[in-house]
Amino acid sequence: MNTPALIRQMERFPAVLAALLAGVDADRARRRGPRGQWAVVEILAHLADEETADFRARLIVLLDDPERDFEPIDPEGWAKDRGYLARDHAAELARFAAARAGSISWLRSLECPDFSRAKHHPTMGPLRAGDVLAAWAAHDLLHLRQITKRLYELTGADAEPYAAFYAGDW
């Protein structure tokens, strides 16, 4: 595993989001997709919560004590219970960036981590520390795609009565 490359990719992600979302106002950040998909602000709040409560926490368990249980997570429930949609998207981006900076610092502080350490996940089977690190980096890109799709949809709405089909289909 190319751990330094994954960490560098993760380190750059908050700046990528900041550049992508520069100029997006609160109204646009709160608009959900046509089928109720999460709004940009909900995605940002999700990223911030997942940063510490999911990926970092689970990697700590796997590296330190794989016999310990993972704390349960409920991303869909959090979105509702924690009122993601009502939050300020700039504040959520800053919260994510701060949490990510802490994660990068922690990852870089690890001395010879054993990424082969594993535990049984109830739905996925064996889950290794390296799998969690890889998923953590990939999770960013899944949400980058999700945010980009929301911005694509918003562009289409802004263009009405014209259509953006000439650009290609999503």
Side-chain angles (χ1 to χ4, degrees), residues 10-166:
M10 291 169 59
E11 183 176 36
R12 289 189 305 266
F13 187 59
V16 169
L17 284 178
L20 182 63
L21 297 172
V24 172
D25 65 27
D27 177 63
R28 291 171 67 81
R30 287 192 180 100
R31 285 195 215 163
R32 288 195 168 142
R35 289 172 299 288
Q37 303 95 324
W38 278 3
V40 168
V41 68
E42 291 172 300
I43 299 164
L44 294 172
H46 165 79
L47 284 166
D49 284 348
E50 288 278 298
E51 185 68 18
T52 55
D54 184 356
F55 292 103
R56 189 189 323 167
R58 289 171 188 248
L59 191 53
I60 289 169
V61 167
L62 285 163
L63 292 174
D64 292 350
D65 182 10
E67 297 303 315
R68 204 169 87 218
D69 288 336
F70 289 142
E71 291 293 322
I73 60 170
D74 180 14
E76 291 291 331
W78 291 347
K80 292 176 188 166
D81 299 342
R82 298 176 182 182
Y84 285 178
L85 191 60
R87 294 185 180 191
D88 177 76
H89 68 289
E92 290 306 303
L93 178 57
R95 186 169 74 92
F96 169 65
R100 175 55 59 90
S103 295
I104 296 301
S105 179
W106 172 73
L107 285 166
R108 288 200 169 123
S109 76
L110 299 175
E111 294 183 23
C112 302
D114 181 359
F115 287 111
S116 69
R117 295 193 77 176
K119 70 182 286 110
H120 182 78
H121 188 278
T123 60
M124 297 178 187
L127 182 64
R128 300 168 296 181
D131 298 325
V132 172
L133 181 60
W136 197 353
H139 183 255
D140 287 350
L141 299 175
L142 291 173
H143 288 298
L144 178 61
R145 179 177 66 182
Q146 185 183 23
I147 290 169
T148 303
K149 184 173 184 182
R150 285 297 308 121
L151 295 177
Y152 177 89
E153 292 164 350
L154 288 167
T155 298
D158 288 344
E160 290 177 358
Y162 301 99
F165 64 85
Y166 185 72

